[in-house]
Amino acid sequence: MARQTGVIQISGTVGGVVFAKDGTVRQKQGSNKSQFNSSASMQRVRENASEFATAAKAGKLLRDALRRVVAQASDRLMVSRLAQKMKQVLNLDEDSDRGGRQILAENLTMLLGFDFNAGSALSSTYYGRYDAALDRAAGNHTVSLGEMNPARDIAAPQGATHYRVTGAVSTVNFETGAFNSVDASTAEVPLSNALRPAEVLNLVLPVGSADDALVVAVGIDFYQSVNGKLYPLNSNAYNALSVVAVG
């Protein structure tokens, strides 16, 4: 590598030659984009890059569709974890060629049990019974919550005095990028030994197309009562949200 020894101070790129601040001089490297797009040896890399991009786009679409509830319960690695899960869904496409596989609604069962907040899984936080029922024809969907004892059936974090259960349903079209969603919640309920009666959360959301996927998520939020006012507990770090049904 050439090295500048004179008194002329040059920094930057001149005529394809890079002058570094430490005095070294090197030729500017060309772009590898053309090689990436055309080289036969890069074929597998291009295929993998295409499918990872498809999975990441699908994950963002689902996050956008469920934004209202995801904002209440997610961890800092949720975006990458969801993209990895979507890549698993994409791998189930047996009809398309490698590099062109797609997210198909019939393969979304891979999402069942996905926790948006890995630090607070719904299965280890809420032990009450819940059932999701989807009605594509009528657009009337429900999340049924069974009778429960909050003090016994909820693993509440220290400092929590109240909780709220939320159900959300989204229609997502992974081909067009269209989505819609609705959610419904219980009241903020004290974490006491008082028996909580069964309750049904009604989620009315028509399905626009046969290609639309339905995704249902159920979550629990925690609050602390101070002077009669409820405050979200510890920046939502203990809240849970999980995919419980697809259709």
Side-chain angles (χ1 to χ4, degrees):
M1 179 182 290
R3 179 176 292 276
Q4 176 190 354
T5 59
V7 296
I8 300 177
Q9 301 296 317
I10 303 176
S11 179
T13 303
V14 179
V17 178
V18 179
F19 294 86
K21 291 183 179 180
D22 63 359
T24 58
V25 182
R26 59 180 172 80
Q27 187 174 5
K28 184 178 180 181
Q29 294 182 347
S31 171
N32 290 325
K33 183 176 180 181
S34 177
Q35 179 185 1
F36 177 82
N37 289 332
S38 61
S39 173
S41 64
M42 301 293 287
Q43 177 66 23
R44 288 292 176 262
V45 179
R46 290 195 297 271
E47 292 170 354
N48 289 335
S50 174
E51 293 197 342
F52 277 115
T54 299
K57 182 179 178 180
K60 183 180 186 304
L61 188 62
L62 183 59
R63 298 197 316 271
D64 289 344
L66 293 170
R67 182 184 294 113
R68 280 171 53 90
V69 288
V70 169
Q72 303 301 317
S74 60
D75 63 80
R76 64 184 183 87
L77 297 179
M78 181 271 293
V79 172
S80 60
R81 290 192 301 105
L82 183 56
Q84 291 174 359
K85 183 62 68 172
M86 284 298 187
K87 181 60 170 64
Q88 295 175 13
V89 175
L90 185 145
N91 290 344
L92 296 176
D93 178 5
E94 298 180 347
D95 297 324
S96 304
D97 293 335
R98 181 187 173 99
R101 290 179 292 186
Q102 300 297 317
I103 303 295
L104 303 179
E106 59 265 30
N107 295 331
L108 288 177
T109 52
M110 181 66 70
L111 290 177
L112 292 175
F114 178 81
D115 286 298
F116 290 88
N117 184 3
S120 184
L122 183 66
S123 60
S124 60
T125 304
Y126 184 84
Y127 297 100
R129 183 179 60 81
Y130 56 85
D131 297 294
L134 299 175
D135 187 341
R136 291 183 66 95
N140 296 321
H141 320 291
T142 60
V143 173
S144 301
L145 306 174
E147 184 180 77
M148 62 174 295
N149 181 327
R152 179 195 63 200
D153 297 328
I154 295 177
Q158 185 175 5
T161 61
H162 292 69
Y163 75 94
R164 180 185 66 176
V165 176
T166 296
V169 61
S170 291
T171 61
V172 184
N173 191 309
F174 290 99
E175 182 176 355
T176 66
F179 63 85
N180 203 355
S181 64
V182 295
D183 58 81
S185 302
T186 67
E188 290 79 11
V189 182
L191 286 161
S192 66
N193 281 310
L195 196 64
R196 177 70 180 171
E199 185 173 356
V200 176
L201 302 177
N202 293 297
L203 303 165
V204 179
L205 184 64
V207 179
S209 164
D211 294 327
D212 287 355
L214 281 168
V215 180
V216 181
V218 170
I220 182 169
D221 307 334
F222 292 103
Y223 301 86
Q224 185 177 68
S225 177
V226 179
N227 295 329
K229 185 176 181 180
L230 294 178
Y231 296 87
L233 192 65
N234 195 27
S235 302
N236 303 324
Y238 297 106
N239 295 344
L241 179 71
S242 181
V243 176
V244 301
V246 296

